[in-house]
Amino acid sequence: MYRYLPIRKVYARQVLDSRGNPTVEVEVTVGEGVIGVNGYTGRASVPSGASTGKYEAVELRDGEKGNYVGLSVEKAVNNVNTRLAEAILGENALNQCYIDALILEADGTDNKSSIGANACLGVSMAVARAAALALRIPLFQYLGGCHTRRMPVPMMNILNGGVHADNAVDLQEFMIMPVGASSYQEGLRMCAEIYQFLKISLREKGMSTGVGDEGGFAPDLANTHEVLDFILDGIRRADYDPGKEVSIAIDAASSELYDAGKDAYYFPGESKMRGEEILRSREEMIAYYEDLVEHYPIVSIEDPLCEDDWEGWKKLTETLGEKVQLVGDDLFVTNEKKLACGIKLGVANAILVKMNQIGTLTETLTTVDMAHKAGYRTIISHRSGETEDPFIADLAVACGAGQIKTGAPCRSERNAKYNQLLRIEDYLGNLTVYQNPFGRTD
Ligand code: PGA
Ligand code: ZN
């Protein structure tokens, strides 16, 4: 078929994300002949974080002089329409690695601060989508190849805290994982049922059923134990067996809690609820997680310690690494070099993968490959600010990641991903594989 699929047009505009902030959307048209006759246009939009890692590639925003209270992305949009368009027009869309190399070259910095990672990523994703469209194969198969069939287990964030909600819960995310389901579709249903029971329980307690940025509930529960008891109760009310059918995962997002001056982790919500300052040292944090893992069916902890605390991470990996998945998000920022350090030092045993932390599809896939080769698990992830673009659903299947983190079964920017996975599973029929990423639990 096509050996050469020229990029004919690159166009970006500013659209709104799920928090009502502007973000970059890109359209890339490829194909021979006159556009509109033989052309295919791939569209992609870029997400945005709130608990952003210090070492992420730079998201370019207009700042003080910009619109949308300084959050506009007109410069990034303009960079796509000028510098990136110039760099890739006429080039072969089927050569994703080369296109991404041209994007890196046009930017010329280590962290995409010149063109903006948001501009770079929008183009990189839209090129892939246009290529898949032109070849008339689903995006997940274009990205992953003909043997692609592993469905991810959802890591569903049903209770939000930290900077994603205005409640007293200090750890950012409490997630359920339907590890005992026999298919993705069944797993999704189990999670959605539990979510509804949690809502009923909150109503019964007279607590808020308002949701946070990722669609999870955001009630004022006093501390982590209370949250976990509440979730266990929801799992049981939905008639599932905690630990066997449904396990629990946490994202502590602890870089947000770390106080460099005090070299300790400050828990503002727990402090407020108890009326005294709650600070935990690195050692106390490790003991805190050991205790949680002992008492609850927790299978995964993300960012348990802050992004610069490699020593603490190493200790924690030695202590808990055999028992639970320890996920580096802010620690690794989807960056090949950071992950290589982690592998060398024996730090963490899994990586959260967010395309916009690094800025191109090729760099993302390189990091995923490195992780898999080293025996690290991968989790493809959304950001707290999302769009209706379901790209990461296809990416999760393409990578055979086995896990996806994309919020609660609530808010359509989250369900866009879950629903796309339903379509993929439907399309593949009974050829799909759905596995407990942690092996048997019974
Ligand atoms: P963010 O949160 O998108 O706000 O960074 C997600 C996460 O920490 O995993
Ligand atoms: Zn995280």
Side-chain angles (χ1 to χ4, degrees):
M1 221 197 181
Y2 294 110
R3 281 164 50 212
Y4 183 69
L5 187 67
I7 295 173
R8 306 290 301 254
K9 193 176 169 200
V10 177
Y11 178 72
R13 66 170 66 82
Q14 188 170 257
V15 296
L16 293 183
D17 74 10
S18 58
R19 276 194 278 251
N21 294 326
T23 190
V24 179
E25 177 174 274
V26 179
E27 286 168 0
V28 167
T29 304
V30 299
E32 295 144 322
V34 182
I35 293 171
V37 178
N38 294 319
Y40 296 87
T41 299
R43 180 189 292 145
S45 50
V46 179
S48 173
S51 64
T52 328
K54 221 193 312 188
Y55 304 103
E56 293 191 18
V58 173
E59 177 185 74
L60 199 62
R61 296 209 177 259
D62 298 333
E64 271 170 30
K65 290 198 187 110
N67 295 317
Y68 291 96
V69 214
L71 291 178
S72 56
V73 290
E74 279 158 30
K75 272 187 224 157
V77 162
N78 193 42
N79 286 343
V80 173
N81 291 333
T82 55
R83 293 166 66 188
L84 289 179
E86 231 165 74
I88 66 166
L89 276 175
E91 300 294 346
N92 187 2
L94 295 178
N95 197 347
Q96 182 78 37
C97 296
Y98 181 60
I99 299 293
D100 287 342
L102 291 175
I103 293 173
L104 294 191
E105 191 183 305
D107 175 78
T109 67
D110 272 352
N111 58 1
K112 312 217 170 41
S113 53
S114 173
I115 282 180
N118 41 353
C120 295
L121 181 63
V123 172
S124 185
M125 289 162 74
V127 167
R129 193 170 259 135
L133 272 174
L135 295 174
R136 296 186 197 155
I137 55 176
L139 181 60
F140 76 92
Q141 278 178 334
Y142 174 66
L143 297 175
C146 63
H147 191 61
T148 308
R149 61 204 184 104
R150 182 165 180 196
M151 298 301 296
V153 175
M155 212 179 227
M156 198 173 275
N157 179 6
I158 37 94
L159 208 133
N160 295 187
V163 298
H164 290 171
D166 292 323
N167 57 356
V169 173
D170 294 313
L171 304 190
Q172 184 178 277
E173 301 172 19
F174 291 85
M175 297 167 278
I176 45 175
M177 297 188 71
V179 292
S182 58
S183 66
Y184 165 77
Q185 187 195 327
E186 190 188 18
L188 183 69
R189 174 173 58 72
M190 288 161 68
C191 290
E193 287 169 1
I194 294 165
Y195 185 78
Q196 297 306 333
F197 275 105
L198 290 176
K199 189 175 200 170
I200 293 168
S201 299
L202 286 173
R203 282 214 182 104
E204 285 169 358
K205 288 182 179 14
M207 298 187 93
S208 161
T209 56
V211 300
D213 286 355
E214 298 185 350
F217 298 115
D220 268 336
L221 293 165
N223 56 44
T224 303
H225 285 81
E226 246 187 53
V227 173
L228 290 167
D229 288 337
F230 173 70
I231 292 172
L232 283 185
D233 182 57
I235 296 173
R236 290 196 188 102
R237 278 188 88 165
D239 215 12
Y240 295 114
D241 192 344
K244 215 166 177 192
E245 293 173 295
V246 181
S247 296
I248 296 177
I250 289 177
D251 179 5
S254 70
S255 300
E256 300 292 323
L257 303 175
Y258 184 65
D259 182 329
K262 294 182 173 141
D263 189 25
Y265 296 82
Y266 175 58
F267 284 59
E270 201 177 327
S271 301
K272 192 176 121 195
M273 302 298 267
R274 274 170 57 176
E276 57 176 312
E277 191 177 61
I278 307 292
L279 273 170
R280 291 188 169 95
S281 69
R282 166 183 306 115
E283 289 71 27
E284 284 167 340
M285 287 295 275
I286 295 176
Y288 181 72
Y289 294 122
E290 275 187 275
D291 175 69
L292 290 179
V293 168
E294 201 180 310
H295 292 98
Y296 296 95
I298 294 171
V299 288
S300 177
I301 309 175
E302 181 181 328
D303 284 351
L305 294 168
C306 94
E307 57 212 339
D308 290 317
D309 188 3
W310 287 77
E311 222 177 280
W313 262 97
K314 189 158 168 48
K315 260 190 221 155
L316 182 71
T317 311
E318 283 159 9
T319 316
L320 278 180
E322 293 290 316
K323 271 197 195 156
V324 286
Q325 174 171 269
L326 296 170
V327 188
D329 170 14
D330 290 355
L331 181 75
F332 293 142
V333 289
T334 316
N335 185 314
E336 188 191 356
K337 291 193 189 120
K338 290 249 168 207
L339 177 64
C341 283
I343 293 168
K344 197 162 153 218
L345 293 172
V347 156
N349 54 29
I351 178 172
L352 201 77
V353 177
K354 293 166 164 169
M355 288 189 289
N356 79 325
Q357 283 183 327
I358 191 70
T360 62
L361 183 56
T362 302
E363 289 166 289
T364 305
L365 293 172
T366 304
T367 302
V368 168
D369 273 352
M370 177 186 276
H372 287 167
K373 280 190 188 119
Y376 276 47
R377 295 196 192 95
T378 54
I379 301 139
I380 307 299
S381 173
H382 66 163
R383 299 305 306 245
S384 52
E386 264 296 333
T387 75
E388 63 273 30
D389 190 335
F391 196 106
I392 59 163
D394 287 77
L395 183 68
V397 181
C399 294
Q403 298 175 71
I404 189 169
K405 180 171 112 154
T406 188
C410 167
R411 295 185 63 132
S412 288
E413 77 279 3
R414 314 295 148 185
N415 285 339
K417 283 70 166 171
Y418 290 127
N419 290 342
Q420 174 69 358
L421 286 165
L422 286 174
R423 288 178 207 113
I424 294 175
E425 194 173 56
D426 242 359
Y427 175 87
L428 288 171
N430 56 12
L431 298 176
T432 53
V433 173
Y434 180 92
Q435 274 169 358
N436 179 352
F438 313 110
R440 287 166 64 94
T441 50
D442 52 354

